[in-house]
Amino acid sequence: MTSESKPAHFLQNIIREDLAEGRVSKLATRFPPEPNGYLHIGHAKSICLNFGLAQEFDGTCNLRFDDTNPAKEEEEYVDAIKRDVSWLGFEWNGEARYTSDYFDQLHEWALYLIREGKAYVCHLSPEDARHYRGTLTEPGRNSPYRDRSVEENLALFEQMKNGEMAEGECSLRAKIDMAAPNINLRDPIIYRIKKMAHHQTGDKWCIYPSYDFAHGQSDALEGISHSICTLEFEDHKPLYDWFIGNLPVPARPRQYEFARLHLNYTVVSKRKLKQLVDEKHVDGWDDPRMPTLSGQRRRGVPPRAIRNFCEMIGVTRSDSVVDVGMLEYCIRDELDKNAPRAMCVMEPLKVTLSNYPEGREETLSAPGHPVRDDLPARELPFTRTLYIEREDFREEANKKYKRLVLGKKVRLRNAYVIQAEEVVKNDAGEIVEVICSVDLDTLGKDPADGVKPKGVIHWVSAEKNVDCEVRLYDRLFSDPAPDSGDKNFLDFVNPDNLKILQGCKAEIGLARAEPEQSYQFERNGYFCRDSRYGTAEKPVFNRTIGLRDSWAKEQNK
Ligand code: ATP
Ligand code: MG
């Protein structure tokens, strides 16, 4: 669905009015991630919203790293976030920005508040400060340090800045109202001591602004017109407005909130995703099982599927849980339209065509896609020995089984009709080979005797193919709400979330498959070559998603 065919959401309406009535001359939004982890599917909602609005209303969208906490942040995350935003298909306005670019200005503004008598250095221990803060039902009490003189505060803050105080010894607090019903207004900390190098500013600072002191002012400095954030920041808005109202800022951004994306069978919290990585439940942030954008990319999810999904779920102010089946639907839909077709046998069973000459090889042609003529046709070598799927052959079967049965016919996809004549078994009684006859007068037509085979199965030449490993992923969690209530999400990691198959045989053209290029392995699902594992001789293919929703079936049982 495009934005034209869908009713406008509340933010589109607000922006349209602001522009029409001249309150805002140009829309300016931003996406402000904290570089403390990789972006996940929840962030995609915010990215598509902020960048999408800028595109729709001919405005700009900045990428700004909200990097006020050096303890948890890393350059690796900065790079990954940039890669992921670009991959989703968006371009930020100018260079990427950093809240740390504004540390000098924020420090100036802290001094400004002190001089105005609106900030003070407080020596309460974190524990005492908690007691003084009060609760939701009880007002707080004034800190005994609240009435320090401007001179004393300036001198103490200077000492904090110069590293003359220990971490936790004191902090700078805004002087607002300890009895305010909104706890965020009870003299919040605006600067704290952290003797720690920062990934952008190095050793320059040992005091860092709080997120709340930095966020709104950064928006003002960048001339952001609409500061769009998630609902949990609604309670912080009065504080942001207080800072904006009490500081000589160059602009007054307005904040609007929308509901976060929650997906069932998924966790979207960087902290929890980091735990999965650190405790090795997965193999890194970009593990194809992860709901991170880099994990989804490596798994073969096209960026457009994610954009379509974000469009489909819409933007509201009410919290709800979205069925992950919707995301899967968008992925299948996109892949079905665009993924070239190919054949790959997962568990090979050898077939020998007794009436096909040894050493002969012909090249059959198969369409790249059932309807997309722009996708090139494939060349399939056809030889005396082939592989079919082990589960596609039975010695005996009832009529429901429309595959190869001893004494019966089946069509090889894009090729001839064969008939199973004889079974070869090993000492253990397992079938190791099926001897078949091939009817060479059946390419693109029914057999001359009019007996039409009931089934079509996929195959590859046993003489010319790509030996590969295939990784079958399933949902990372087996519970629809793995982190709800007081559940520990780690208890619900799906034990069958990865199955690795070796010795799979793919059609020869897949030797040239590139990572992120998706294929439909006919009758099997959508796959792409892994970007990390495998070699030129033996690639690894990741299953992006099956052809059908097996979970819906499971639930309807
Ligand atoms: P997390 O809880 O995963 O740590 P966060 O909100 O702390 O998420 P940020 O890096 O601060 O992560 O997020 C950057 C932006 O992405 C913020 O504006 C935030 O509101 C938005 N965002 C994060 N998670 C979601 C989500 N699940 N749905 C929609 N927007 C989200
Ligand atoms: Mg955050």
Side-chain angles (χ1 to χ4, degrees):
M1 237 188 261
T2 64
S3 49
E4 282 80 44
S5 63
K6 233 184 137 175
H9 58 69
F10 73 105
L11 289 169
Q12 288 168 316
N13 288 332
I14 288 170
I15 293 166
R16 191 166 299 130
E17 269 182 37
D18 284 348
L19 290 169
E21 291 171 20
R23 278 192 291 273
V24 168
S25 59
K26 197 172 166 72
L27 175 69
T29 60
R30 82 289 178 265
F31 172 64
E34 191 182 341
N36 60 355
Y38 279 54
L39 298 180
H40 52 62
I41 185 78
H43 292 113
K45 178 175 180 183
S46 178
I47 296 170
C48 291
L49 177 60
N50 280 293
F51 284 93
L53 287 170
Q55 280 175 355
E56 183 181 345
F57 291 99
D58 196 24
T60 54
C61 182
N62 292 353
L63 173 63
R64 181 175 71 239
F65 292 99
D66 244 323
D67 55 348
T68 53
N69 183 0
K72 290 187 177 167
E73 296 162 5
E74 282 173 36
E75 194 66 33
E76 177 200 343
Y77 299 139
V78 168
D79 297 337
I81 289 170
K82 287 184 186 168
R83 244 189 340 263
D84 290 345
V85 172
S86 301
W87 173 74
L88 258 192
F90 297 108
E91 230 177 279
W92 50 90
N93 171 33
E95 295 288 310
R97 291 145 217 259
Y98 297 85
T99 299
S100 55
D101 294 341
Y102 314 133
F103 280 176
D104 284 316
Q105 177 65 78
L106 291 166
H107 177 250
E108 274 302 311
W109 280 339
L111 293 172
Y112 181 91
L113 287 181
I114 295 175
R115 284 192 212 100
E116 295 278 301
K118 290 175 183 164
Y120 61 97
V121 173
C122 180
H123 272 78
L124 283 179
S125 67
E127 164 115 38
D128 286 339
R130 215 172 13 257
H131 287 128
Y132 274 78
R133 196 177 300 130
T135 64
L136 283 173
T137 49
E138 280 169 50
R141 280 175 296 138
N142 284 352
S143 157
Y145 306 100
R146 201 172 196 260
D147 295 319
R148 280 173 159 160
S149 68
V150 169
E151 290 66 37
E152 192 182 1
N153 281 319
L154 286 172
L156 289 170
F157 189 47
E158 179 69 16
Q159 285 179 9
M160 279 173 65
K161 174 175 170 260
N162 293 339
E164 292 161 31
M165 313 264 205
E167 268 185 38
E169 190 180 336
C170 56
S171 59
L172 184 70
R173 297 174 68 178
K175 196 192 262 191
I176 307 180
D177 179 5
M178 288 306 291
N182 183 336
I183 292 185
N184 291 305
L185 294 175
R186 295 184 189 167
D187 292 9
I189 290 177
I190 60 180
Y191 259 95
R192 53 169 63 86
I193 301 167
K194 232 174 246 165
K195 301 203 166 167
M196 191 171 271
H198 185 283
H199 53 102
Q200 299 298 320
T201 57
D203 291 325
K204 179 170 176 188
W205 299 94
C206 63
I207 53 171
Y208 291 96
S210 66
Y211 178 84
D212 281 343
F213 187 63
H215 194 72
Q217 285 89 296
S218 301
D219 281 349
L221 284 166
E222 292 179 9
I224 301 303
S225 61
H226 294 73
S227 303
I228 299 169
C229 62
T230 35
L231 283 171
E232 71 273 19
F233 291 103
E234 195 168 18
D235 288 348
H236 296 238
K237 187 152 63 180
L239 175 58
Y240 297 158
D241 288 344
W242 188 90
F243 289 133
I244 296 293
N246 284 280
L247 288 169
V249 290
R252 291 174 156 266
R254 253 173 297 196
Q255 174 174 310
Y256 300 93
E257 304 88 16
F258 70 100
R260 264 176 187 265
L261 169 66
H262 304 282
L263 266 185
N264 62 8
Y265 293 100
T266 311
V267 303
V268 282
S269 147
K270 276 181 283 185
R271 184 179 60 76
K272 289 174 189 161
L273 295 178
K274 185 165 192 306
Q275 208 178 333
L276 288 169
V277 174
D278 291 345
E279 295 177 14
K280 305 215 180 318
H281 296 280
V282 294
D283 181 25
W285 284 96
D286 67 347
D287 184 301
R289 289 166 291 187
M290 288 282 270
T292 52
L293 297 183
S294 47
Q296 297 289 297
R297 169 167 72 235
R298 199 172 139 201
R299 180 152 166 173
V301 171
R304 194 176 359 199
I306 295 181
R307 294 200 303 269
N308 290 349
F309 169 69
C310 291
E311 180 76 31
M312 191 184 261
I313 58 177
V315 180
T316 66
R317 281 184 52 87
S318 51
D319 265 313
S320 62
V321 178
V322 174
D323 184 358
V324 71
M326 261 170 89
L327 173 62
E328 293 168 349
Y329 166 83
C330 292
I331 297 171
R332 277 195 195 93
D333 183 53
E334 193 56 28
L335 290 173
D336 180 40
K337 285 181 197 148
N338 300 310
R341 276 32 177 179
M343 292 193 286
C344 178
V345 175
M346 303 284 156
E347 287 178 66
L349 172 63
K350 188 175 170 192
V351 165
T352 299
L353 304 173
S354 55
N355 61 336
Y356 197 87
E358 245 169 277
R360 175 161 156 195
E361 178 188 320
E362 62 189 300
T363 304
L364 304 179
S365 173
H369 189 279
V371 295
R372 289 272 305 271
D373 298 338
D374 56 316
L375 295 175
R378 302 128 61 191
E379 293 189 343
L380 304 176
F382 190 85
T383 51
R384 179 179 159 91
T385 55
L386 310 171
Y387 289 120
I388 63 168
E389 210 70 71
R390 187 160 280 280
E391 61 172 32
D392 282 343
F393 173 74
R394 282 193 199 161
E395 289 180 89
E396 289 171 53
N398 64 22
K399 283 196 172 123
K400 275 199 227 151
Y401 185 79
K402 295 192 172 61
R403 309 182 201 178
L404 185 61
V405 180
L406 196 58
K408 305 256 170 63
K409 292 176 184 175
V410 81
R411 176 173 289 280
L412 297 176
R413 187 152 176 85
N414 303 308
Y416 303 104
V417 171
I418 60 170
Q419 174 162 324
E421 309 288 1
E422 205 181 311
V423 177
V424 182
K425 294 185 180 174
N426 64 13
D427 293 344
E430 297 156 343
I431 300 171
V432 290
E433 187 180 345
V434 186
I435 312 293
C436 296
S437 58
V438 56
D439 182 348
L440 292 175
D441 193 26
T442 51
L443 200 58
K445 58 181 175 181
D446 288 338
D449 63 6
V451 185
K452 215 173 141 177
K454 276 180 293 185
V456 181
I457 63 174
H458 60 277
W459 59 278
V460 296
S461 160
E463 290 151 46
K464 259 195 188 170
N465 59 53
V466 183
D467 182 44
C468 57
E469 176 183 313
V470 168
R471 298 185 171 210
L472 303 176
Y473 301 102
D474 204 343
R475 290 184 181 167
L476 184 51
F477 296 100
S478 50
D479 188 281
D483 58 351
S484 66
D486 35 305
K487 283 190 202 159
N488 179 356
F489 68 104
L490 295 174
D491 294 341
F492 302 99
V493 173
N494 176 5
D496 301 318
N497 63 30
L498 171 61
K499 189 171 157 195
I500 298 184
L501 304 178
Q502 300 286 352
C504 308
K505 308 289 181 186
E507 69 180 58
I508 193 73
L510 287 177
R512 294 188 305 269
E514 297 283 346
E516 292 180 44
Q517 166 62 58
S518 297
Y519 292 90
Q520 185 195 87
F521 289 179
E522 292 179 285
R523 299 177 67 230
N524 264 319
Y526 297 98
F527 292 79
C528 81
R529 187 179 190 150
D530 191 68
S531 53
R532 167 116 24 107
Y533 298 120
T535 59
E537 291 71 41
K538 190 167 186 288
V540 170
F541 286 96
N542 295 321
R543 181 171 70 190
T544 314
I545 197 160
L547 291 176
R548 272 168 292 278
D549 183 355
S550 53
W551 285 72
K553 251 194 306 190
E554 209 45 43
Q555 282 169 330
N556 290 338
K557 263 187 195 160

mmCIF file with all atom_site columns, all heavy atoms in Angstrom, residues 92-104:
data_model
loop_
_atom_site.group_PDB
_atom_site.id
_atom_site.type_symbol
_atom_site.label_atom_id
_atom_site.label_alt_id
_atom_site.label_comp_id
_atom_site.label_asym_id
_atom_site.label_entity_id
_atom_site.label_seq_id
_atom_site.pdbx_PDB_ins_code
_atom_site.Cartn_x
_atom_site.Cartn_y
_atom_site.Cartn_z
_atom_site.occupancy
_atom_site.B_iso_or_equiv
_atom_site.pdbx_formal_charge
_atom_site.auth_seq_id
_atom_site.auth_comp_id
_atom_site.auth_asym_id
_atom_site.auth_atom_id
_atom_site.pdbx_PDB_model_num
ATOM 1   N N   . TRP A 1 92  ? 20.559 10.322 4.955  1.00 0.00 ? 92  TRP A N   1
ATOM 2   C CA  . TRP A 1 92  ? 20.403 11.402 5.935  1.00 0.00 ? 92  TRP A CA  1
ATOM 3   C C   . TRP A 1 92  ? 20.921 12.713 5.375  1.00 0.00 ? 92  TRP A C   1
ATOM 4   O O   . TRP A 1 92  ? 21.688 12.743 4.408  1.00 0.00 ? 92  TRP A O   1
ATOM 5   C CB  . TRP A 1 92  ? 21.055 11.060 7.267  1.00 0.00 ? 92  TRP A CB  1
ATOM 6   C CG  . TRP A 1 92  ? 22.459 10.571 7.196  1.00 0.00 ? 92  TRP A CG  1
ATOM 7   C CD1 . TRP A 1 92  ? 23.593 11.316 7.238  1.00 0.00 ? 92  TRP A CD1 1
ATOM 8   C CD2 . TRP A 1 92  ? 22.892 9.200  7.081  1.00 0.00 ? 92  TRP A CD2 1
ATOM 9   N NE1 . TRP A 1 92  ? 24.693 10.507 7.158  1.00 0.00 ? 92  TRP A NE1 1
ATOM 10  C CE2 . TRP A 1 92  ? 24.304 9.202  7.049  1.00 0.00 ? 92  TRP A CE2 1
ATOM 11  C CE3 . TRP A 1 92  ? 22.217 7.963  6.996  1.00 0.00 ? 92  TRP A CE3 1
ATOM 12  C CZ2 . TRP A 1 92  ? 25.061 8.035  6.945  1.00 0.00 ? 92  TRP A CZ2 1
ATOM 13  C CZ3 . TRP A 1 92  ? 22.965 6.800  6.887  1.00 0.00 ? 92  TRP A CZ3 1
ATOM 14  C CH2 . TRP A 1 92  ? 24.376 6.848  6.868  1.00 0.00 ? 92  TRP A CH2 1
ATOM 15  N N   . ASN A 1 93  ? 20.464 13.770 6.028  1.00 0.00 ? 93  ASN A N   1
ATOM 16  C CA  . ASN A 1 93  ? 20.753 15.129 5.597  1.00 0.00 ? 93  ASN A CA  1
ATOM 17  C C   . ASN A 1 93  ? 22.191 15.494 6.006  1.00 0.00 ? 93  ASN A C   1
ATOM 18  O O   . ASN A 1 93  ? 22.492 15.570 7.187  1.00 0.00 ? 93  ASN A O   1
ATOM 19  C CB  . ASN A 1 93  ? 19.711 16.028 6.300  1.00 0.00 ? 93  ASN A CB  1
ATOM 20  C CG  . ASN A 1 93  ? 19.979 17.496 6.147  1.00 0.00 ? 93  ASN A CG  1
ATOM 21  O OD1 . ASN A 1 93  ? 20.491 17.940 5.123  1.00 0.00 ? 93  ASN A OD1 1
ATOM 22  N ND2 . ASN A 1 93  ? 19.642 18.256 7.176  1.00 0.00 ? 93  ASN A ND2 1
ATOM 23  N N   . GLY A 1 94  ? 23.073 15.695 5.044  1.00 0.00 ? 94  GLY A N   1
ATOM 24  C CA  . GLY A 1 94  ? 24.465 16.061 5.351  1.00 0.00 ? 94  GLY A CA  1
ATOM 25  C C   . GLY A 1 94  ? 25.212 14.926 6.027  1.00 0.00 ? 94  GLY A C   1
ATOM 26  O O   . GLY A 1 94  ? 24.898 13.750 5.832  1.00 0.00 ? 94  GLY A O   1
ATOM 27  N N   . GLU A 1 95  ? 26.207 15.302 6.831  1.00 0.00 ? 95  GLU A N   1
ATOM 28  C CA  . GLU A 1 95  ? 26.981 14.303 7.560  1.00 0.00 ? 95  GLU A CA  1
ATOM 29  C C   . GLU A 1 95  ? 26.149 13.765 8.731  1.00 0.00 ? 95  GLU A C   1
ATOM 30  O O   . GLU A 1 95  ? 25.238 14.441 9.203  1.00 0.00 ? 95  GLU A O   1
ATOM 31  C CB  . GLU A 1 95  ? 28.238 14.958 8.161  1.00 0.00 ? 95  GLU A CB  1
ATOM 32  C CG  . GLU A 1 95  ? 29.220 15.477 7.142  1.00 0.00 ? 95  GLU A CG  1
ATOM 33  C CD  . GLU A 1 95  ? 29.948 14.341 6.440  1.00 0.00 ? 95  GLU A CD  1
ATOM 34  O OE1 . GLU A 1 95  ? 30.461 13.455 7.143  1.00 0.00 ? 95  GLU A OE1 1
ATOM 35  O OE2 . GLU A 1 95  ? 29.984 14.346 5.202  1.00 0.00 ? 95  GLU A OE2 1
ATOM 36  N N   . ALA A 1 96  ? 26.514 12.576 9.193  1.00 0.00 ? 96  ALA A N   1
ATOM 37  C CA  . ALA A 1 96  ? 25.903 12.089 10.428 1.00 0.00 ? 96  ALA A CA  1
ATOM 38  C C   . ALA A 1 96  ? 26.312 13.038 11.553 1.00 0.00 ? 96  ALA A C   1
ATOM 39  O O   . ALA A 1 96  ? 27.426 13.580 11.547 1.00 0.00 ? 96  ALA A O   1
ATOM 40  C CB  . ALA A 1 96  ? 26.373 10.678 10.729 1.00 0.00 ? 96  ALA A CB  1
ATOM 41  N N   . ARG A 1 97  ? 25.407 13.272 12.491 1.00 0.00 ? 97  ARG A N   1
ATOM 42  C CA  . ARG A 1 97  ? 25.697 14.194 13.594 1.00 0.00 ? 97  ARG A CA  1
ATOM 43  C C   . ARG A 1 97  ? 25.793 13.421 14.898 1.00 0.00 ? 97  ARG A C   1
ATOM 44  O O   . ARG A 1 97  ? 25.349 12.278 14.993 1.00 0.00 ? 97  ARG A O   1
ATOM 45  C CB  . ARG A 1 97  ? 24.571 15.229 13.722 1.00 0.00 ? 97  ARG A CB  1
ATOM 46  C CG  . ARG A 1 97  ? 24.526 16.193 12.565 1.00 0.00 ? 97  ARG A CG  1
ATOM 47  C CD  . ARG A 1 97  ? 23.088 16.571 12.225 1.00 0.00 ? 97  ARG A CD  1
ATOM 48  N NE  . ARG A 1 97  ? 22.959 16.702 10.773 1.00 0.00 ? 97  ARG A NE  1
ATOM 49  C CZ  . ARG A 1 97  ? 22.944 17.863 10.134 1.00 0.00 ? 97  ARG A CZ  1
ATOM 50  N NH1 . ARG A 1 97  ? 22.986 18.991 10.804 1.00 0.00 ? 97  ARG A NH1 1
ATOM 51  N NH2 . ARG A 1 97  ? 22.861 17.883 8.823  1.00 0.00 ? 97  ARG A NH2 1
ATOM 52  N N   . TYR A 1 98  ? 26.359 14.086 15.880 1.00 0.00 ? 98  TYR A N   1
ATOM 53  C CA  . TYR A 1 98  ? 26.534 13.469 17.201 1.00 0.00 ? 98  TYR A CA  1
ATOM 54  C C   . TYR A 1 98  ? 26.125 14.468 18.260 1.00 0.00 ? 98  TYR A C   1
ATOM 55  O O   . TYR A 1 98  ? 26.482 15.651 18.171 1.00 0.00 ? 98  TYR A O   1
ATOM 56  C CB  . TYR A 1 98  ? 28.010 13.122 17.433 1.00 0.00 ? 98  TYR A CB  1
ATOM 57  C CG  . TYR A 1 98  ? 28.540 12.096 16.467 1.00 0.00 ? 98  TYR A CG  1
ATOM 58  C CD1 . TYR A 1 98  ? 29.018 12.493 15.214 1.00 0.00 ? 98  TYR A CD1 1
ATOM 59  C CD2 . TYR A 1 98  ? 28.553 10.746 16.803 1.00 0.00 ? 98  TYR A CD2 1
ATOM 60  C CE1 . TYR A 1 98  ? 29.495 11.551 14.318 1.00 0.00 ? 98  TYR A CE1 1
ATOM 61  C CE2 . TYR A 1 98  ? 29.031 9.800  15.908 1.00 0.00 ? 98  TYR A CE2 1
ATOM 62  C CZ  . TYR A 1 98  ? 29.500 10.206 14.666 1.00 0.00 ? 98  TYR A CZ  1
ATOM 63  O OH  . TYR A 1 98  ? 29.962 9.278  13.780 1.00 0.00 ? 98  TYR A OH  1
ATOM 64  N N   . THR A 1 99  ? 25.401 14.010 19.258 1.00 0.00 ? 99  THR A N   1
ATOM 65  C CA  . THR A 1 99  ? 25.117 14.880 20.395 1.00 0.00 ? 99  THR A CA  1
ATOM 66  C C   . THR A 1 99  ? 26.431 15.396 20.975 1.00 0.00 ? 99  THR A C   1
ATOM 67  O O   . THR A 1 99  ? 26.521 16.529 21.435 1.00 0.00 ? 99  THR A O   1
ATOM 68  C CB  . THR A 1 99  ? 24.307 14.104 21.450 1.00 0.00 ? 99  THR A CB  1
ATOM 69  O OG1 . THR A 1 99  ? 23.084 13.690 20.845 1.00 0.00 ? 99  THR A OG1 1
ATOM 70  C CG2 . THR A 1 99  ? 24.002 14.955 22.661 1.00 0.00 ? 99  THR A CG2 1
ATOM 71  N N   . SER A 1 100 ? 27.470 14.552 20.918 1.00 0.00 ? 100 SER A N   1
ATOM 72  C CA  . SER A 1 100 ? 28.767 14.984 21.471 1.00 0.00 ? 100 SER A CA  1
ATOM 73  C C   . SER A 1 100 ? 29.349 16.175 20.708 1.00 0.00 ? 100 SER A C   1
ATOM 74  O O   . SER A 1 100 ? 30.201 16.884 21.242 1.00 0.00 ? 100 SER A O   1
ATOM 75  C CB  . SER A 1 100 ? 29.750 13.813 21.472 1.00 0.00 ? 100 SER A CB  1
ATOM 76  O OG  . SER A 1 100 ? 29.868 13.258 20.189 1.00 0.00 ? 100 SER A OG  1
ATOM 77  N N   . ASP A 1 101 ? 28.875 16.419 19.470 1.00 0.00 ? 101 ASP A N   1
ATOM 78  C CA  . ASP A 1 101 ? 29.302 17.641 18.771 1.00 0.00 ? 101 ASP A CA  1
ATOM 79  C C   . ASP A 1 101 ? 28.875 18.884 19.562 1.00 0.00 ? 101 ASP A C   1
ATOM 80  O O   . ASP A 1 101 ? 29.412 19.969 19.364 1.00 0.00 ? 101 ASP A O   1
ATOM 81  C CB  . ASP A 1 101 ? 28.643 17.751 17.379 1.00 0.00 ? 101 ASP A CB  1
ATOM 82  C CG  . ASP A 1 101 ? 29.099 16.663 16.424 1.00 0.00 ? 101 ASP A CG  1
ATOM 83  O OD1 . ASP A 1 101 ? 30.158 16.061 16.685 1.00 0.00 ? 101 ASP A OD1 1
ATOM 84  O OD2 . ASP A 1 101 ? 28.384 16.403 15.432 1.00 0.00 ? 101 ASP A OD2 1
ATOM 85  N N   . TYR A 1 102 ? 27.853 18.703 20.390 1.00 0.00 ? 102 TYR A N   1
ATOM 86  C CA  . TYR A 1 102 ? 27.266 19.855 21.085 1.00 0.00 ? 102 TYR A CA  1
ATOM 87  C C   . TYR A 1 102 ? 27.696 19.943 22.544 1.00 0.00 ? 102 TYR A C   1
ATOM 88  O O   . TYR A 1 102 ? 27.134 20.717 23.309 1.00 0.00 ? 102 TYR A O   1
ATOM 89  C CB  . TYR A 1 102 ? 25.733 19.796 20.997 1.00 0.00 ? 102 TYR A CB  1
ATOM 90  C CG  . TYR A 1 102 ? 25.211 19.485 19.607 1.00 0.00 ? 102 TYR A CG  1
ATOM 91  C CD1 . TYR A 1 102 ? 24.224 18.531 19.406 1.00 0.00 ? 102 TYR A CD1 1
ATOM 92  C CD2 . TYR A 1 102 ? 25.737 20.138 18.482 1.00 0.00 ? 102 TYR A CD2 1
ATOM 93  C CE1 . TYR A 1 102 ? 23.761 18.233 18.123 1.00 0.00 ? 102 TYR A CE1 1
ATOM 94  C CE2 . TYR A 1 102 ? 25.282 19.837 17.201 1.00 0.00 ? 102 TYR A CE2 1
ATOM 95  C CZ  . TYR A 1 102 ? 24.299 18.879 17.034 1.00 0.00 ? 102 TYR A CZ  1
ATOM 96  O OH  . TYR A 1 102 ? 23.846 18.587 15.774 1.00 0.00 ? 102 TYR A OH  1
ATOM 97  N N   . PHE A 1 103 ? 28.673 19.127 22.941 1.00 0.00 ? 103 PHE A N   1
ATOM 98  C CA  . PHE A 1 103 ? 29.068 19.130 24.355 1.00 0.00 ? 103 PHE A CA  1
ATOM 99  C C   . PHE A 1 103 ? 29.528 20.513 24.827 1.00 0.00 ? 103 PHE A C   1
ATOM 100 O O   . PHE A 1 103 ? 29.239 20.923 25.948 1.00 0.00 ? 103 PHE A O   1
ATOM 101 C CB  . PHE A 1 103 ? 30.157 18.086 24.630 1.00 0.00 ? 103 PHE A CB  1
ATOM 102 C CG  . PHE A 1 103 ? 29.631 16.667 24.775 1.00 0.00 ? 103 PHE A CG  1
ATOM 103 C CD1 . PHE A 1 103 ? 30.517 15.599 24.940 1.00 0.00 ? 103 PHE A CD1 1
ATOM 104 C CD2 . PHE A 1 103 ? 28.269 16.386 24.763 1.00 0.00 ? 103 PHE A CD2 1
ATOM 105 C CE1 . PHE A 1 103 ? 30.049 14.289 25.082 1.00 0.00 ? 103 PHE A CE1 1
ATOM 106 C CE2 . PHE A 1 103 ? 27.794 15.087 24.900 1.00 0.00 ? 103 PHE A CE2 1
ATOM 107 C CZ  . PHE A 1 103 ? 28.689 14.034 25.061 1.00 0.00 ? 103 PHE A CZ  1
ATOM 108 N N   . ASP A 1 104 ? 30.261 21.252 23.979 1.00 0.00 ? 104 ASP A N   1
ATOM 109 C CA  . ASP A 1 104 ? 30.698 22.594 24.376 1.00 0.00 ? 104 ASP A CA  1
ATOM 110 C C   . ASP A 1 104 ? 29.496 23.495 24.628 1.00 0.00 ? 104 ASP A C   1
ATOM 111 O O   . ASP A 1 104 ? 29.414 24.187 25.638 1.00 0.00 ? 104 ASP A O   1
ATOM 112 C CB  . ASP A 1 104 ? 31.590 23.227 23.295 1.00 0.00 ? 104 ASP A CB  1
ATOM 113 C CG  . ASP A 1 104 ? 32.994 22.628 23.306 1.00 0.00 ? 104 ASP A CG  1
ATOM 114 O OD1 . ASP A 1 104 ? 33.545 22.457 24.416 1.00 0.00 ? 104 ASP A OD1 1
ATOM 115 O OD2 . ASP A 1 104 ? 33.520 22.322 22.223 1.00 0.00 ? 104 ASP A OD2 1
#
